[in-house]
Every structure is written in structure tokens, then in C-alpha cells.
Amino acid sequence: MVEKVVGLPPFQVLVDTHWRDVARLARALAGPVDGDDVAQRAWEKAFAAYPKLTSARNLRSWLLTITARCATDLHRSRRPQSPLDEAPPVQVDGPDAADWPDPDLWKAVNALPERQRVAVTLKYVGDLDHHGVAAALETTPAASRRLVSDALTALRTRLGVDDD
């Protein structure tokens, strides 16, 4: 028998409170075409897991972690399933830069390695702290900081932005 967590709001309250955050992160990670599907999948997974939660702490971070994992699953499902030594290099498309404000920035974000792209998106689009980013990526906060830092350095270089 699953014990009910004290302070856990009804699921609809969770949806009403955080649907915009989930939708925004899904679109940022999966693009405008697949973002709605990723958000829907995240809500389905969250609904299935909700009765089993053992803590009502940081529900937003929990939802955004599920969303990031759903986006990662989508990208992985598009990769070829042949052995790596036989497979030609494949570019996994992220958001279509033309559909976003500042298309040069999003084109540069799309060019980042997957873990850097997800980390920087979780940090600045999802507004997660490094502990939340680390939880979503199943790594440490220190590794999260490094991924975000490396992503920002690569973006600055690619866009020709000075730190001054």
C-alpha cells in the first residue's frame, strides 16, 4: 500500500501551476514541432508516478526533470540503432532556430553537444538551479556547473561575444 504524502496537492493543481514551465522547456529541448508531444508525454509520466511520490518538496524541479528526460528519449529514439563503428555520423535536430527569437543564438545552442545543450536549456529556460540540472542529468552539481560553463563558453565563442 502506498502511503499518501502530506502536503501533496491534487494533480490538477500541479498542472495548473506548472504547465507553462513544462511546455516552455519541452519546446526548448525538442523544438516547436515535437515540444507539445514531449510535454504531453511528461505529463503522462508525471501522472503515473504522482501517487507514488514520497515527498512534496520541489515538485517543479521533479516535473522539469521528467520533461528533460522525455526530450532526451525523443532524441535517442531518432538515432540509428546500428553499431557505432558502422553508423555514419548523424545530426539530431533540436529546436528549429527560425521559429525562435534570436535565431543565431538558437542555432548555436543546437550545435552544442547534447549534454551541454540540455544543461544550459534546463538552467536558463527551465530556470533550474545546478542541483535541479544535476538531478535531471543524473550527475553532480559540480558536473552541472561544468556543463553549463562549457556551453556558455562555446556559445560566446561561436557568437563572438566578449566577456567584458
Tab-separated table of all heavy atoms in Angstrom, residues 41-77:
chain	number	residue	atom	x	y	z
A	41	ARG	N	3.872	13.810	-23.065
A	41	ARG	CA	4.488	12.578	-22.528
A	41	ARG	C	4.970	12.813	-21.095
A	41	ARG	O	4.829	11.932	-20.236
A	41	ARG	CB	5.635	12.131	-23.432
A	41	ARG	CG	6.254	10.842	-23.013
A	41	ARG	CD	5.306	9.672	-23.293
A	41	ARG	NE	5.941	8.453	-22.871
A	41	ARG	CZ	5.355	7.538	-22.111
A	41	ARG	NH1	4.116	7.671	-21.751
A	41	ARG	NH2	6.007	6.463	-21.763
A	42	ALA	N	5.521	13.988	-20.835
A	42	ALA	CA	5.990	14.308	-19.479
A	42	ALA	C	4.823	14.320	-18.495
A	42	ALA	O	4.938	13.794	-17.378
A	42	ALA	CB	6.709	15.654	-19.477
A	43	TRP	N	3.704	14.919	-18.904
A	43	TRP	CA	2.540	14.935	-18.019
A	43	TRP	C	2.006	13.528	-17.781
A	43	TRP	O	1.565	13.188	-16.675
A	43	TRP	CB	1.439	15.850	-18.566
A	43	TRP	CG	1.765	17.297	-18.378
A	43	TRP	CD1	2.002	18.224	-19.352
A	43	TRP	CD2	1.914	17.993	-17.131
A	43	TRP	NE1	2.281	19.437	-18.793
A	43	TRP	CE2	2.235	19.335	-17.427
A	43	TRP	CE3	1.811	17.617	-15.795
A	43	TRP	CZ2	2.446	20.293	-16.449
A	43	TRP	CZ3	2.031	18.565	-14.801
A	43	TRP	CH2	2.346	19.890	-15.130
A	44	GLU	N	2.026	12.685	-18.815
A	44	GLU	CA	1.579	11.294	-18.640
A	44	GLU	C	2.448	10.560	-17.634
A	44	GLU	O	1.944	9.857	-16.753
A	44	GLU	CB	1.615	10.560	-19.984
A	44	GLU	CG	0.570	11.009	-20.973
A	44	GLU	CD	0.793	10.444	-22.364
A	44	GLU	OE1	1.765	9.672	-22.574
A	44	GLU	OE2	-0.002	10.763	-23.262
A	45	LYS	N	3.763	10.729	-17.770
A	45	LYS	CA	4.686	10.064	-16.840
A	45	LYS	C	4.523	10.614	-15.428
A	45	LYS	O	4.565	9.864	-14.451
A	45	LYS	CB	6.129	10.215	-17.321
A	45	LYS	CG	6.445	9.353	-18.508
A	45	LYS	CD	7.926	9.450	-18.859
A	45	LYS	CE	8.259	8.484	-19.952
A	45	LYS	NZ	9.013	7.342	-19.506
A	46	ALA	N	4.353	11.918	-15.323
A	46	ALA	CA	4.178	12.530	-14.004
A	46	ALA	C	2.890	12.031	-13.353
A	46	ALA	O	2.874	11.711	-12.161
A	46	ALA	CB	4.156	14.053	-14.124
A	47	PHE	N	1.824	11.935	-14.125
A	47	PHE	CA	0.546	11.463	-13.588
A	47	PHE	C	0.671	10.026	-13.080
A	47	PHE	O	0.156	9.679	-12.016
A	47	PHE	CB	-0.544	11.557	-14.659
A	47	PHE	CG	-1.899	11.148	-14.168
A	47	PHE	CD1	-2.621	11.963	-13.310
A	47	PHE	CD2	-2.455	9.940	-14.565
A	47	PHE	CE1	-3.873	11.594	-12.850
A	47	PHE	CE2	-3.709	9.558	-14.112
A	47	PHE	CZ	-4.419	10.383	-13.247
A	48	ALA	N	1.377	9.195	-13.832
A	48	ALA	CA	1.557	7.797	-13.431
A	48	ALA	C	2.395	7.681	-12.153
A	48	ALA	O	2.143	6.823	-11.307
A	48	ALA	CB	2.200	7.007	-14.561
A	49	ALA	N	3.387	8.547	-12.008
A	49	ALA	CA	4.288	8.478	-10.854
A	49	ALA	C	3.775	9.241	-9.645
A	49	ALA	O	4.233	9.009	-8.518
A	49	ALA	CB	5.664	9.018	-11.253
A	50	TYR	N	2.842	10.143	-9.838
A	50	TYR	CA	2.391	11.056	-8.776
A	50	TYR	C	1.903	10.332	-7.514
A	50	TYR	O	2.291	10.712	-6.411
A	50	TYR	CB	1.313	11.985	-9.323
A	50	TYR	CG	1.110	13.244	-8.518
A	50	TYR	CD1	2.143	14.161	-8.364
A	50	TYR	CD2	-0.107	13.522	-7.922
A	50	TYR	CE1	1.956	15.322	-7.644
A	50	TYR	CE2	-0.302	14.682	-7.197
A	50	TYR	CZ	0.738	15.579	-7.058
A	50	TYR	OH	0.554	16.723	-6.333
A	51	PRO	N	1.094	9.295	-7.628
A	51	PRO	CA	0.615	8.638	-6.401
A	51	PRO	C	1.730	7.976	-5.593
A	51	PRO	O	1.568	7.725	-4.407
A	51	PRO	CB	-0.353	7.566	-6.916
A	51	PRO	CG	-0.705	7.966	-8.302
A	51	PRO	CD	0.462	8.735	-8.817
A	52	LYS	N	2.868	7.718	-6.217
A	52	LYS	CA	3.969	7.032	-5.537
A	52	LYS	C	4.997	7.994	-4.943
A	52	LYS	O	5.994	7.547	-4.368
A	52	LYS	CB	4.661	6.090	-6.517
A	52	LYS	CG	3.742	5.006	-7.056
A	52	LYS	CD	4.437	4.186	-8.111
A	52	LYS	CE	3.450	3.280	-8.807
A	52	LYS	NZ	3.404	3.433	-10.220
A	53	LEU	N	4.798	9.302	-5.112
A	53	LEU	CA	5.761	10.270	-4.574
A	53	LEU	C	5.861	10.140	-3.065
A	53	LEU	O	4.866	9.942	-2.377
A	53	LEU	CB	5.349	11.697	-4.919
A	53	LEU	CG	5.694	12.200	-6.304
A	53	LEU	CD1	5.229	13.643	-6.473
A	53	LEU	CD2	7.164	12.111	-6.591
A	54	THR	N	7.069	10.281	-2.568
A	54	THR	CA	7.282	10.203	-1.119
A	54	THR	C	7.533	11.571	-0.507
A	54	THR	O	7.675	11.687	0.700
A	54	THR	CB	8.481	9.286	-0.806
A	54	THR	OG1	9.641	9.790	-1.480
A	54	THR	CG2	8.189	7.860	-1.264
A	55	SER	N	7.604	12.597	-1.353
A	55	SER	CA	7.847	13.946	-0.851
A	55	SER	C	7.153	14.957	-1.752
A	55	SER	O	7.112	14.794	-2.971
A	55	SER	CB	9.351	14.231	-0.821
A	55	SER	OG	9.595	15.586	-0.515
A	56	ALA	N	6.642	16.004	-1.133
A	56	ALA	CA	6.011	17.078	-1.897
A	56	ALA	C	6.989	18.223	-2.122
A	56	ALA	O	6.604	19.277	-2.618
A	56	ALA	CB	4.768	17.576	-1.163
A	57	ARG	N	8.243	18.020	-1.757
A	57	ARG	CA	9.261	19.056	-1.919
A	57	ARG	C	9.680	19.194	-3.380
A	57	ARG	O	9.895	18.208	-4.060
A	57	ARG	CB	10.502	18.664	-1.105
A	57	ARG	CG	10.766	19.599	0.023
A	57	ARG	CD	12.019	19.248	0.798
A	57	ARG	NE	13.198	19.640	0.052
A	57	ARG	CZ	14.236	18.840	-0.143
A	57	ARG	NH1	14.241	17.631	0.324
A	57	ARG	NH2	15.274	19.264	-0.818
A	58	ASN	N	9.757	20.417	-3.849
A	58	ASN	CA	10.314	20.749	-5.165
A	58	ASN	C	9.625	20.017	-6.318
A	58	ASN	O	10.280	19.390	-7.142
A	58	ASN	CB	11.820	20.492	-5.166
A	58	ASN	CG	12.528	21.463	-6.080
A	58	ASN	OD1	11.901	22.229	-6.804
A	58	ASN	ND2	13.838	21.418	-6.059
A	59	LEU	N	8.321	20.114	-6.389
A	59	LEU	CA	7.560	19.457	-7.439
A	59	LEU	C	7.878	20.021	-8.827
A	59	LEU	O	7.875	19.291	-9.809
A	59	LEU	CB	6.058	19.563	-7.151
A	59	LEU	CG	5.575	18.771	-5.933
A	59	LEU	CD1	4.118	19.085	-5.632
A	59	LEU	CD2	5.780	17.281	-6.141
A	60	ARG	N	8.176	21.311	-8.899
A	60	ARG	CA	8.521	21.932	-10.190
A	60	ARG	C	9.777	21.284	-10.767
A	60	ARG	O	9.829	20.918	-11.939
A	60	ARG	CB	8.720	23.433	-10.017
A	60	ARG	CG	9.078	24.149	-11.307
A	60	ARG	CD	9.197	25.664	-11.062
A	60	ARG	NE	9.577	26.331	-12.266
A	60	ARG	CZ	10.844	26.539	-12.639
A	60	ARG	NH1	11.829	26.124	-11.886
A	60	ARG	NH2	11.118	27.162	-13.770
A	61	SER	N	10.796	21.133	-9.942
A	61	SER	CA	12.040	20.501	-10.392
A	61	SER	C	11.783	19.058	-10.828
A	61	SER	O	12.331	18.597	-11.830
A	61	SER	CB	13.079	20.549	-9.276
A	61	SER	OG	14.272	19.939	-9.692
A	62	TRP	N	10.941	18.362	-10.079
A	62	TRP	CA	10.583	16.981	-10.420
A	62	TRP	C	9.941	16.937	-11.807
A	62	TRP	O	10.303	16.100	-12.646
A	62	TRP	CB	9.651	16.442	-9.338
A	62	TRP	CG	9.091	15.088	-9.577
A	62	TRP	CD1	9.750	13.888	-9.511
A	62	TRP	CD2	7.743	14.773	-9.927
A	62	TRP	NE1	8.881	12.855	-9.790
A	62	TRP	CE2	7.639	13.367	-10.047
A	62	TRP	CE3	6.598	15.544	-10.129
A	62	TRP	CZ2	6.458	12.727	-10.369
A	62	TRP	CZ3	5.418	14.898	-10.445
A	62	TRP	CH2	5.351	13.512	-10.564
A	63	LEU	N	9.008	17.845	-12.073
A	63	LEU	CA	8.336	17.890	-13.377
A	63	LEU	C	9.301	18.231	-14.511
A	63	LEU	O	9.250	17.638	-15.589
A	63	LEU	CB	7.212	18.931	-13.362
A	63	LEU	CG	5.942	18.539	-12.651
A	63	LEU	CD1	5.039	19.757	-12.484
A	63	LEU	CD2	5.227	17.444	-13.418
A	64	LEU	N	10.193	19.199	-14.277
A	64	LEU	CA	11.131	19.598	-15.321
A	64	LEU	C	12.155	18.499	-15.591
A	64	LEU	O	12.621	18.338	-16.724
A	64	LEU	CB	11.797	20.923	-14.960
A	64	LEU	CG	10.833	22.116	-14.891
A	64	LEU	CD1	11.588	23.399	-14.551
A	64	LEU	CD2	10.040	22.289	-16.177
A	65	THR	N	12.496	17.732	-14.574
A	65	THR	CA	13.385	16.588	-14.767
A	65	THR	C	12.703	15.556	-15.668
A	65	THR	O	13.322	15.027	-16.599
A	65	THR	CB	13.756	15.957	-13.412
A	65	THR	OG1	14.484	16.912	-12.645
A	65	THR	CG2	14.595	14.701	-13.589
A	66	ILE	N	11.445	15.273	-15.403
A	66	ILE	CA	10.691	14.338	-16.243
A	66	ILE	C	10.634	14.864	-17.680
A	66	ILE	O	10.836	14.114	-18.641
A	66	ILE	CB	9.271	14.113	-15.683
A	66	ILE	CG1	9.336	13.354	-14.361
A	66	ILE	CG2	8.390	13.365	-16.689
A	66	ILE	CD1	8.016	13.293	-13.615
A	67	THR	N	10.396	16.150	-17.843
A	67	THR	CA	10.313	16.759	-19.171
A	67	THR	C	11.640	16.622	-19.917
A	67	THR	O	11.667	16.256	-21.098
A	67	THR	CB	9.910	18.243	-19.056
A	67	THR	OG1	8.692	18.334	-18.311
A	67	THR	CG2	9.727	18.876	-20.424
A	68	ALA	N	12.745	16.906	-19.234
A	68	ALA	CA	14.067	16.790	-19.864
A	68	ALA	C	14.341	15.351	-20.291
A	68	ALA	O	14.876	15.102	-21.378
A	68	ALA	CB	15.147	17.275	-18.910
A	69	ARG	N	13.950	14.410	-19.465
A	69	ARG	CA	14.172	13.002	-19.814
A	69	ARG	C	13.307	12.573	-20.993
A	69	ARG	O	13.745	11.793	-21.843
A	69	ARG	CB	13.926	12.121	-18.606
A	69	ARG	CG	15.031	12.285	-17.576
A	69	ARG	CD	14.854	11.405	-16.392
A	69	ARG	NE	15.945	11.655	-15.448
A	69	ARG	CZ	15.886	11.361	-14.175
A	69	ARG	NH1	14.792	10.816	-13.668
A	69	ARG	NH2	16.909	11.621	-13.388
A	70	CYS	N	12.087	13.083	-21.069
A	70	CYS	CA	11.222	12.777	-22.215
A	70	CYS	C	11.816	13.343	-23.505
A	70	CYS	O	11.768	12.689	-24.560
A	70	CYS	CB	9.810	13.314	-21.984
A	70	CYS	SG	8.872	12.383	-20.764
A	71	ALA	N	12.377	14.539	-23.448
A	71	ALA	CA	13.023	15.130	-24.629
A	71	ALA	C	14.246	14.315	-25.033
A	71	ALA	O	14.479	14.068	-26.223
A	71	ALA	CB	13.410	16.577	-24.354
A	72	THR	N	15.018	13.884	-24.045
A	72	THR	CA	16.191	13.050	-24.332
A	72	THR	C	15.755	11.734	-24.968
A	72	THR	O	16.373	11.266	-25.928
A	72	THR	CB	16.993	12.795	-23.045
A	72	THR	OG1	17.442	14.053	-22.537
A	72	THR	CG2	18.190	11.901	-23.299
A	73	ASP	N	14.689	11.135	-24.450
A	73	ASP	CA	14.167	9.892	-25.031
A	73	ASP	C	13.776	10.092	-26.492
A	73	ASP	O	14.040	9.227	-27.337
A	73	ASP	CB	12.962	9.389	-24.246
A	73	ASP	CG	13.327	8.860	-22.875
A	73	ASP	OD1	14.523	8.644	-22.601
A	73	ASP	OD2	12.392	8.674	-22.059
A	74	LEU	N	13.158	11.234	-26.797
A	74	LEU	CA	12.774	11.527	-28.175
A	74	LEU	C	14.004	11.582	-29.074
A	74	LEU	O	14.037	10.970	-30.142
A	74	LEU	CB	12.013	12.853	-28.258
A	74	LEU	CG	11.730	13.351	-29.677
A	74	LEU	CD1	10.600	12.549	-30.297
A	74	LEU	CD2	11.407	14.821	-29.664
A	75	HIS	N	15.037	12.297	-28.636
A	75	HIS	CA	16.259	12.413	-29.440
A	75	HIS	C	16.940	11.054	-29.600
A	75	HIS	O	17.422	10.729	-30.683
A	75	HIS	CB	17.220	13.426	-28.816
A	75	HIS	CG	16.736	14.834	-28.921
A	75	HIS	ND1	16.466	15.446	-30.116
A	75	HIS	CD2	16.481	15.754	-27.965
A	75	HIS	CE1	16.050	16.688	-29.909
A	75	HIS	NE2	16.049	16.896	-28.606
A	76	ARG	N	16.964	10.279	-28.547
A	76	ARG	CA	17.592	8.955	-28.629
A	76	ARG	C	16.824	8.033	-29.565
A	76	ARG	O	17.428	7.200	-30.249
A	76	ARG	CB	17.677	8.321	-27.245
A	76	ARG	CG	18.747	8.937	-26.395
A	76	ARG	CD	18.840	8.269	-25.053
A	76	ARG	NE	19.876	8.913	-24.261
A	76	ARG	CZ	19.907	8.906	-22.945
A	76	ARG	NH1	18.987	8.266	-22.255
A	76	ARG	NH2	20.875	9.523	-22.303
A	77	SER	N	15.520	8.166	-29.603
A	77	SER	CA	14.718	7.294	-30.463
A	77	SER	C	14.976	7.572	-31.940
A	77	SER	O	14.701	6.725	-32.782
A	77	SER	CB	13.227	7.453	-30.161
A	77	SER	OG	12.748	8.699	-30.631
